[in-house]
Amino acid sequence: MMRVEDVALLACPDCRGRLVWHGQNEDDRLTEGRLRCGGCGETWEVEEGMARLYREDRVRGTDRLMRHFYDGLPALHDPLTAVLTPLFQSVSESRMRDAYMRRLELSSLKPREDGQPVRVLEVGVGAGANLPRIRGSLPPGLAVEVWGVDLSTGMLAQCEKRLGSKRRGRGLEGTRLLLADAHALPFRDATFDRVFHVGGIGGYRQPAVALLEMSRVARPGTPLVVVDEQLDASLQPSLFQRAAFRALTFYTRDAKSPRALLPLNAEGVIEEQVSPFYYCLTFRVPSLEPAVTV
């Protein structure tokens, strides 16, 4: 649940104007009300502590399809991933997650010189399977806010349920969740010290726009990590593996890394396979200048 002071980090998804909170607070936490943009005047609802910073009429095509899919199995998603990953790919889920999490370089994070908290953003947080790994990789004693956004109310509800029993004593008190569209992230420029996304960008209607948005909200020079489906070119898959991969990527016939869609000012690009079915794409952007894609 967001706090009143967190509103200063938000930006209107329509015009990127500043938002102002109008509503009820409980222990400095947003509960019921709305966020109003000081620029365009648009309002965004907050219900039961969850901010809804997206436009429903812009959720269409594969975005809508995948949301229906995730809303239909929020409690089963993570258990199925744990079981099916070694079955289909001969690698454990834990090993795969460790392979991409190391690219975030969380252990190298340090307190910010401007006194602001260190902040990590997961775009497409789902049921929160990566959150304990984030906390476990941070330097001891470093205060960090972890933010998660998703378009699936079912997955975010599952994430809240998961966090409810694990926040205390595990450093998860600083976790903020909100409903948002990756194509129009509701944050001010250069807000986050780390930004990453796992397992959904291949189904986005405009992946280049989402990559640009992730770059915009990241601080200059920070690692951005994107992970999704791509069949390992060096693999000689069995018929079983081919069928499994096709079922996993039912939303497209061309599941691959979006390296060609990165902002033109992306640097330090690293593309690797972290499992037979998943790539990991790491890059950085050097400045706040608008990035252009082709």
Side-chain angles (χ1 to χ4, degrees), residues 12-290:
C12 174
D14 278 1
C15 73
R16 296 185 189 168
R18 290 179 179 269
L19 299 180
V20 179
W21 169 239
H22 298 274
Q24 301 174 11
N25 310 328
E26 183 177 322
D27 295 329
D28 201 38
R29 298 176 184 273
L30 280 57
T31 54
E32 300 285 339
R34 59 183 55 85
L35 293 157
R36 181 180 296 276
C37 177
C40 66
E42 185 57 80
T43 58
W44 310 90
E45 298 298 318
V46 177
E47 300 174 0
E48 298 182 351
M50 182 69 69
R52 300 171 178 268
L53 288 157
Y54 73 98
R55 286 193 174 281
E56 183 62 33
D57 59 1
R58 295 178 185 172
V59 182
R60 52 186 184 272
T62 50
D63 292 342
R64 185 174 290 273
L65 170 67
M66 296 306 291
R67 185 174 67 176
H68 282 309
F69 175 76
Y70 287 118
D71 277 344
L73 47 75
L76 294 176
H77 180 272
D78 287 359
L80 283 174
T81 299
V83 170
L84 296 179
T85 297
L87 177 64
F88 292 161
Q89 304 183 64
S90 300
V91 62
S92 71
E93 177 206 16
S94 179
R95 182 177 176 184
M96 182 178 71
R97 291 189 189 277
D98 288 343
Y100 62 71
M101 289 299 294
R102 67 184 176 86
R103 287 296 180 187
L104 280 173
E105 302 177 13
L106 294 172
S107 62
S108 68
L109 284 169
K110 299 178 181 179
R112 289 175 53 160
E113 295 180 359
D114 60 5
Q116 288 288 311
V118 174
R119 299 185 177 98
V120 176
L121 171 66
E122 181 172 6
V123 178
V125 66
N130 289 313
L131 297 180
R133 276 183 163 75
I134 294 174
R135 292 298 180 183
S137 301
L138 295 171
L142 182 66
V144 176
E145 292 178 4
V146 179
W147 290 68
V149 303
D150 209 289
L151 261 180
S152 168
T153 55
M155 294 296 275
L156 283 183
Q158 188 66 24
C159 189
E160 275 285 6
K161 182 179 179 181
R162 181 178 197 156
L163 289 173
S165 62
K166 295 183 178 181
R167 288 180 195 266
R168 188 176 300 277
R170 298 197 182 191
L172 295 174
E173 298 87 351
T175 303
R176 278 82 160 160
L177 302 176
L178 54 87
L179 280 158
D181 188 343
H183 297 87
L185 291 173
F187 302 109
R188 298 175 63 184
D189 294 355
T191 295
F192 295 96
D193 300 272
R194 296 291 188 271
V195 177
F196 75 111
H197 165 81
V198 180
I201 199 167
Y204 287 179
R205 68 180 187 277
Q206 293 180 298
V209 173
L211 289 166
L212 192 61
E213 278 292 276
M214 293 181 210
S215 302
R216 178 183 65 80
V217 302
R219 297 187 74 199
T222 188
L224 292 101
V225 176
V226 176
V227 179
D228 207 359
E229 291 97 357
Q230 173 176 267
L231 197 59
D232 189 347
S234 66
L235 179 70
Q236 293 184 337
S238 64
L239 288 176
F240 172 72
Q241 285 179 314
R242 287 185 181 277
F245 185 76
R246 187 70 194 94
L248 187 65
T249 59
F250 67 92
Y251 55 85
T252 180
R253 291 189 175 275
D254 189 28
K256 64 181 182 181
S257 164
R259 181 170 185 162
L261 303 178
L262 291 179
L264 293 181
N265 63 343
E267 60 184 20
V269 179
I270 301 171
E271 182 180 335
E272 58 196 318
Q273 289 286 145
V274 290
S275 79
F277 287 4
Y278 285 85
Y279 68 83
C280 175
L281 185 63
T282 308
F283 66 101
R284 304 168 192 261
V285 287
S287 71
L288 297 178
E289 292 301 318

